[in-house]
Amino acid sequence: MSRADCTRELCILCAPTPEILAVLRVISRMDLSLGIAIGQSFGQPVTAELMALHGQGYIREHIGRRHGGTPTQLYTITAKGRGALQEQNKKLGPVPTRTTGPSPPLRRETCSGGAIRPFTGRAGAMDALKYPSRVGNRLHYRVEEIEPADRAS
């Protein structure tokens, strides 16, 4: 496609705005994405950019229904859009990606095995098992010795 073929005012080859290029890049990375998800990645609605790209054939719109029956629109990049994006990347050079800041160097964690050691409990935690449980008129000791309650008092 050359500049002579352009008839639209928002043609990506003639007058690519940074917003249009950014939306096209997001769509190329997130295939079959919702328009609202694309807008959330920018922090603002991108309805005009999506309409312009769709009108020029750079992206395709898939209309369907969600599980609840509500309509949904998914966007994917076309071969024409991918070619135009590659042509812009050749002109502009590599586009830096956003980062959240420097990441700490990776370090190797070691396991001390504390989670798989046998339970030792805290001191005195099992003292309650020395005393019998009363069931009706009987006292049940942990050593499976059963005696009537009136004899134990």
Side-chain angles (χ1 to χ4, degrees), residues 15-152:
T17 64
E19 293 83 15
I20 293 279
L21 291 173
V23 169
L24 193 59
R25 280 191 191 96
V26 167
I27 294 171
S28 72
R29 291 184 189 126
M30 300 170 36
D31 196 25
L32 289 175
S33 54
L34 291 168
I36 194 164
I38 298 166
Q40 285 175 346
S41 67
F42 291 104
Q44 63 185 15
V46 290
T47 308
E49 289 86 354
L50 289 173
M51 289 174 53
L53 288 168
H54 180 259
Q56 295 174 26
Y58 293 114
I59 61 173
R60 183 176 296 128
E61 181 180 56
H62 301 276
I63 299 173
R65 296 227 174 257
R66 293 184 184 169
H67 181 68
T70 58
T72 184
Q73 295 172 321
L74 301 173
Y75 296 94
T76 186
I77 192 166
T78 61
K80 179 180 177 183
R82 198 169 300 282
L85 195 57
Q86 288 174 352
E87 190 171 322
Q88 283 298 319
N89 287 341
K90 286 178 190 174
K91 290 179 184 176
L92 301 175
V95 177
T97 57
R98 290 190 304 172
T99 59
T100 56
S103 60
L106 297 176
R107 58 188 176 110
R108 187 175 182 160
E109 297 288 331
T110 57
C111 178
S112 64
I116 58 174
R117 288 192 184 116
F119 175 72
T120 56
R122 73 178 162 75
M126 305 303 274
D127 288 349
L129 298 178
K130 294 189 288 186
Y131 303 106
S133 297
R134 180 181 296 268
V135 179
N137 284 335
R138 294 186 171 192
L139 298 176
H140 292 265
Y141 289 91
R142 295 289 290 177
V143 292
E144 300 303 324
E145 180 183 318
I146 301 173
E147 62 182 62
D150 32 352
R151 191 178 69 156

